[in-house]
Amino acid sequence: MKAARMAITAALSGVAVVLLAGCGVRPTGVLDGGEAAGGLTKGLRLYFVSQTGRLEAVSRPEIPAYKVTDPNGVIKLLGSGPTDAERASGLTTMLGTGAQYRATVAGNAVTVHVPMADLSHSAVDDRNLMGQLVCSIARARAVADDKGTTRADDIRVTLRPQSGRSKSHVCSDFLK
């Protein structure tokens, strides 16, 4: 009886080895998988504020970034707010309707004149407003770079309130 079990086990092991060894996969050489994915998405991304008070990027693939190289165009898009579907999912904009924001550009530096008297870095709404402006403008300018070498954090955005202190930011300041 013990010998019969050993014979059956040996036979099953032999069958398993034959089946696994002859599964039909043939060896191949090294295959080129092409170029690795990288870089930023091609379309514009805007940053809106979620119900939890965090910035969320939303894609605008229908708007090629090269058409929105002017930060004032990005500000207009932010001012018009999220789409109906984005609003339904809880996103909002902190830019007041009709508020007069104005941006100027000098190389990789953008200055945004903000209509508020001052911006508090400790006030959640002010911080979200700053993050929306900085990240949306920086992202648009980085994606619009023809060479593809500019990162969003290469763009410094200075927010200049009417009477308060100006401060320069990069997008990662707000995504922590």
Side-chain angles (χ1 to χ4, degrees):
M1 185 98 145
K2 196 173 195 180
R5 268 194 217 165
M6 287 177 66
I8 291 173
T9 302
L12 288 175
S13 296
V15 169
V17 168
V18 169
L19 288 175
L20 290 174
C23 65
V25 177
R26 298 172 189 223
T28 62
V30 176
L31 299 176
D32 181 17
E35 207 173 305
L40 299 171
T41 56
K42 300 293 183 212
L44 180 66
R45 285 187 158 228
L46 298 175
Y47 287 79
F48 292 110
V49 181
S50 72
Q51 290 176 328
T52 61
R54 295 181 55 100
L55 289 179
E56 283 190 29
V58 295
S59 183
R60 293 288 186 268
E62 73 281 4
I63 304 172
Y66 69 86
K67 288 189 174 182
V68 192
T69 57
D70 177 11
N72 292 299
V74 174
I75 292 169
K76 275 185 183 176
L77 291 170
L78 285 172
S80 64
T83 64
D84 290 340
E86 292 163 352
R87 225 179 259 104
S89 72
L91 295 180
T92 190
T93 184
M94 302 309 293
L95 278 72
T97 56
Q100 297 298 313
Y101 296 85
R102 185 176 46 84
T104 56
V105 178
N108 279 350
V110 178
T111 300
V112 179
H113 300 271
V114 181
M116 284 84 173
D118 198 8
L119 292 170
S120 170
H121 287 61
S122 60
V124 174
D125 285 351
D126 283 357
R127 187 161 175 76
N128 281 331
L129 167 68
M130 292 185 282
Q132 274 192 271
L133 289 165
V134 171
C135 290
S136 297
I137 289 169
R139 174 71 184 215
R141 296 202 49 85
V143 173
D145 174 20
D146 290 339
K147 297 175 189 138
T149 57
T150 304
R151 298 174 311 120
D153 275 354
D154 292 338
I155 308 297
R156 294 205 65 81
V157 179
T158 300
L159 300 173
R160 183 165 289 157
Q162 286 181 351
S163 60
R165 198 173 61 147
S166 297
K167 185 156 184 188
S168 181
H169 298 279
V170 293
C171 183
S172 62
D173 293 344
F174 300 96
L175 301 179
K176 297 175 183 175

